[in-house]
Amino acid sequence: MIKAVNVSKIFYVPQRLLALSNVSAEISRGEVVVIIGPSGSGKSTFLRCLNRLEHADSGHIYVDGVDILAKKTDINSARAEMGMVFQSFNLFPHKTVLENVTIGQTVVRRRSRREAEDKAMALLTRVGLAAKAAAYPDNLSGGQQQRVAIARALAMDPKVMLFDEPTSALDPEMVGEVLEVMKSLAREGMTMVVVTHEMGFAREVADRVLFMDQGQILEEGTPEHFFKAPENERTKLFLSQIL
Amino acid sequence: MSSGRRRHSLAYELFWKAAFVVSLIGVCWMLYAATQKIDYVWRWYRVPQYFVSERVIEVKSGIQGEVASIAPEGENVSVVVAGDGEEETHLVPAKGLRVGKGDAVYPGDVLGGEKKIVPGILIEGTWLTLYVSAVSIFFGIILGLFTGLSRLSDNPFLRWWSITYIELIRGSPLLVQIYIWYFVLGTLINNLLNKSDLPQIPTLWFGIASMAVFTGAYVAEIVRAGIQSIHRGQSEAARSLGMNAYQSMRHIVLPQAFRRILPPLAGQFISLIKDSSLLGIIAIRELTKATREVVTVSLQPFEIFFVCSLLYLLLTFGLSLLTNYLERKLVQS
């Protein structure tokens, strides 16, 4: 499904910073992969490279066999196949909840208004927010906004969902409702790549865990292996600090 | 607005409001008293004629002869003057007919006429100011939007041209730019048109061009600031849905930016209305030039200039109301 080969990314902020250094990873269809690691480890950068919100400086990223870093690739149609959920939700504040979920469908997928609204209402019902369809995002709680953002991404019928720390900006009591939606997605067999600090979610839902630090993947394996018998020293240190 | 403001007693409010009104009247009275000292005579009754005036339209004979026939034609009558082997037909308003059948007429004799109520010079000037401003605002928005977007483009050609344009226009006085448009570009363009046997471009359009190009540079900077004020996450979210750069701009970024730039945009357009007073120097008879002409004829500068400024206030205040209304409407949605 997704294959990253020797991906590197350098930021100049303003000093040279090697955010990703020769990262390779493979994610197969239906798999839930959780990426964890300390702040500044490059995990969000790696995720954002997967749909080219950050343009990797070198390496190759294949999504469904298409090299998204190639010049002739139509990145817009590639992105439409990949749903993305952001830490800060990024809902469109000038549009209602319903419009947030329909706009991608009508503009990008060229669906009719009726069709898009039916689909949006079905998805909003699914995330438990059908009653808020006419509300504006600013009038919703953080947890509700993030669930709308998930519905917005799902409305495009993506083949893979990318989550960039979806619960990090939420009040603690709202984390659960968002994780519930993500778990139900995982159970349905959605391919998911999740950057998170929620170890409970990783342990319970992940098929595979990647641990990143200093722009590299230091360890990868099943949650079982990862939480019970980590091999890398850095991983052990990280886990001892957070658990 | 009220946040952080202290709540005052009713007496406090009333006292200071009354003080405002009294001092306002005081200022007006001092001005009046000063004019009395220099023996200025206020003649407000002379003002209305510059708003509405009567014009007499006369129909005159062009030849010598006599009135051959008078035949009604709707509200007019058609008068036929027959002379030495020549004949003329005139359409004259029935009410103002001054000749009868068989009358002898000479060239220049009045066959008939009527009085017509026409808008006065101040109304014409106000209308021209409104027209010039509206057209300049329209083109200024288009130019400013395009330049503002180019200013943010990755393409050096677009970016550098937009910077050049903005800095060039903002860095020189509008008065000088109007002269350049009229005396330099106007002369060049009209001479070239003349050489190709094409019709000339009227002065008015060089005036409008100078105003539109001037405003466009300021609008561009307002648009740029508005777009940059929208969080990057908005366009990232739009792009991650698969929208291309244009769709993201059109559906997500610009609508949000527009709300924020409406107040500074309104300010810019109010300035434009006032700046159009400079166009008088290239013989466009907008409100200020019309006012100066009226002052020369009426010799009542005090009244006329006050009236002129009130007319400007009317235009700018109207624009303020319109943008306030738009702002409220956008906030609701």
Side-chain angles (χ1 to χ4, degrees):
Chain A
M1 181 80 214
I2 297 180
K3 189 176 174 192
V5 185
N6 291 330
V7 174
S8 294
K9 174 78 190 172
I10 298 163
F11 285 130
Y12 298 91
V13 281
Q15 316 89 330
R16 190 186 135 99
L17 175 80
L18 188 59
L20 292 176
S21 121
N22 288 323
V23 174
S24 296
E26 210 165 325
I27 293 137
S28 30
R29 197 174 296 278
E31 203 180 16
V32 177
V33 173
V34 171
I35 306 174
I36 61 177
S39 324
S41 59
K43 51 195 194 309
S44 281
T45 306
F46 179 61
L47 190 79
R48 288 162 60 84
C49 279
L50 295 183
N51 69 352
R52 221 172 88 179
L53 280 184
E54 298 295 350
H55 203 297
D57 293 323
S58 64
H60 297 278
I61 296 170
Y62 301 94
V63 178
D64 252 356
V66 179
D67 185 353
I68 62 156
L69 296 179
K71 261 195 177 153
K72 61 181 192 322
T73 304
D74 176 7
I75 189 62
N76 296 317
S77 52
R79 280 183 184 143
E81 306 298 328
M82 290 190 269
M84 179 130 188
V85 176
F86 299 86
Q87 180 177 353
S88 49
F89 329 133
N90 295 346
L91 291 181
F92 307 133
H94 62 305
K95 297 198 170 288
T96 63
V97 165
L98 185 70
E99 286 165 346
N100 264 278
V101 185
T102 53
I103 182 119
Q105 302 186 65
T106 51
V107 172
V108 178
R109 291 281 191 228
R110 304 246 160 251
R111 287 177 191 151
S112 72
R113 214 181 120 115
R114 158 89 47 101
E115 194 189 349
E117 283 182 0
D118 287 348
K119 172 130 193 136
M121 282 314 293
L123 284 166
L124 286 175
T125 308
R126 183 184 160 160
V127 299
L129 288 170
K132 297 284 186 189
Y136 282 92
D138 286 349
N139 300 326
L140 266 50
S141 73
Q144 291 172 327
Q145 289 194 42
Q146 194 59 298
R147 284 186 281 153
V148 173
I150 294 174
R152 176 176 72 180
L154 288 175
M156 304 297 288
D157 295 316
K159 290 179 183 149
V160 53
M161 287 283 285
L162 311 175
F163 293 85
D164 187 5
E165 305 201 23
T167 57
S168 298
L170 296 177
D171 287 342
E173 74 264 33
M174 288 165 186
V175 170
E177 61 191 64
V178 172
L179 290 182
E180 258 332 294
V181 173
M182 290 169 64
K183 281 178 199 167
S184 81
L185 261 183
R187 277 196 294 274
E188 279 167 30
M190 172 63 79
T191 312
M192 291 163 67
V193 185
V194 185
V195 170
T196 188
H197 294 295
E198 292 294 325
M199 295 305 143
F201 178 82
R203 208 185 309 228
E204 190 182 339
V205 185
D207 295 312
R208 204 144 47 91
V209 177
L210 307 183
F211 177 74
M212 285 186 76
D213 191 23
Q214 297 192 328
Q216 286 175 311
I217 297 178
L218 295 183
E219 184 149 9
E220 68 174 285
T222 60
E224 202 111 302
H225 158 85
F226 188 80
F227 288 107
K228 298 228 172 88
E231 283 156 15
N232 190 293
E233 283 307 315
R234 186 70 188 87
T235 318
K236 285 180 193 167
L237 182 67
F238 177 72
L239 287 173
S240 72
Q241 277 165 344
I242 59 157
L243 291 179
Chain B
M1 275 297 276
S2 60
S3 65
R5 225 195 233 185
R6 224 174 101 197
R7 204 175 252 289
H8 292 292
S9 70
L10 186 66
Y12 174 95
E13 291 281 325
L14 284 179
F15 177 78
W16 288 109
K17 280 173 186 168
F20 169 75
V21 174
V22 169
S23 57
L24 184 66
I25 294 170
V27 169
C28 293
W29 180 83
M30 281 195 304
L31 182 67
Y32 179 77
T35 62
Q36 291 303 301
K37 284 246 187 269
I38 61 157
D39 295 329
Y40 186 84
V41 185
W42 293 81
R43 294 196 179 90
W44 283 104
Y45 64 88
R46 283 201 185 164
V47 173
Q49 59 178 312
Y50 302 109
F51 282 85
V52 186
S53 63
E54 269 185 349
R55 194 185 295 161
V56 182
I57 298 161
E58 291 179 326
V59 182
K60 292 173 180 169
S61 171
I63 56 171
Q64 185 181 346
E66 69 176 39
V67 178
S69 73
I70 298 175
E73 211 167 280
E75 284 192 359
N76 299 320
V77 287
S78 103
V79 179
V80 179
V81 181
D84 216 9
E86 40 185 1
E87 208 177 78
E88 262 189 0
T89 309
H90 296 282
L91 219 52
V92 181
K95 279 184 192 161
L97 187 64
R98 290 202 211 150
V99 290
K101 199 173 171 213
D103 285 3
V105 291
Y106 295 91
D109 277 5
V110 177
L111 301 173
E114 69 176 331
K115 285 180 177 175
K116 256 195 170 166
I117 304 285
V118 291
I121 177 170
L122 285 180
I123 292 293
E124 281 179 346
T126 309
W127 165 247
L128 193 60
T129 291
L130 186 65
Y131 176 76
V132 168
S133 305
V135 176
S136 308
I137 285 172
F138 175 77
F139 286 112
I141 288 177
I142 294 177
L143 200 57
L145 189 62
F146 181 74
T147 312
L149 289 171
S150 303
R151 179 78 180 71
L152 293 169
S153 163
D154 286 338
N155 183 322
F157 178 85
L158 291 175
R159 202 170 57 238
W160 288 13
W161 262 119
S162 63
I163 293 172
T164 307
Y165 162 58
I166 292 168
E167 294 302 330
L168 215 59
I169 296 298
R170 291 201 311 180
S172 62
L174 177 57
L175 188 61
V176 175
Q177 289 177 34
I178 293 172
Y179 280 135
I180 290 177
W181 271 100
Y182 182 63
F183 290 111
V184 182
L185 298 175
T187 310
L188 282 175
I189 292 170
N190 273 341
N191 269 334
L192 288 176
L193 286 175
N194 199 24
K195 283 204 169 123
S196 332
D197 289 326
L198 289 166
Q200 305 279 293
I201 295 173
T203 307
L204 178 66
W205 286 97
F206 290 111
I208 287 175
S210 66
M211 303 300 295
V213 167
F214 179 77
T215 308
Y218 286 89
V219 171
E221 284 294 89
I222 294 172
V223 166
R224 176 176 74 97
I227 289 173
Q228 282 180 330
S229 78
I230 302 302
H231 192 262
R232 207 164 60 109
Q234 289 292 309
S235 66
E236 280 185 354
R239 298 304 298 270
S240 79
L241 288 172
M243 289 189 198
N244 59 34
Y246 167 77
Q247 289 166 333
S248 150
M249 212 25 113
R250 154 92 179 68
H251 295 284
I252 306 302
V253 179
L254 278 184
Q256 294 184 54
F258 183 64
R259 277 184 210 189
R260 291 198 194 165
I261 67 178
L262 204 53
L265 219 46
Q268 185 56 44
F269 294 150
I270 286 171
S271 300
L272 173 90
I273 292 180
K274 296 181 295 179
D275 289 345
S276 72
S277 60
L278 292 171
L279 290 178
I281 54 162
I282 56 170
I284 294 173
R285 201 159 74 172
E286 41 63 57
L287 185 49
T288 304
K289 174 120 167 69
T291 305
R292 277 191 287 139
E293 286 178 18
V294 170
V295 169
T296 346
V297 193
S298 70
L299 302 175
Q300 297 297 129
F302 289 20
E303 295 91 331
I304 303 295
F305 277 124
F306 277 130
V307 166
C308 169
S309 62
L310 276 178
L311 286 170
Y312 274 110
L313 189 66
L314 204 70
L315 294 181
T316 54
F317 192 61
L319 189 61
S320 286
L321 287 181
L322 182 74
T323 47
N324 280 352
Y325 166 78
L326 268 180
E327 238 176 288
R328 249 177 298 133
K329 223 180 142 185
L330 281 174
V331 169
Q332 275 164 11
S333 65

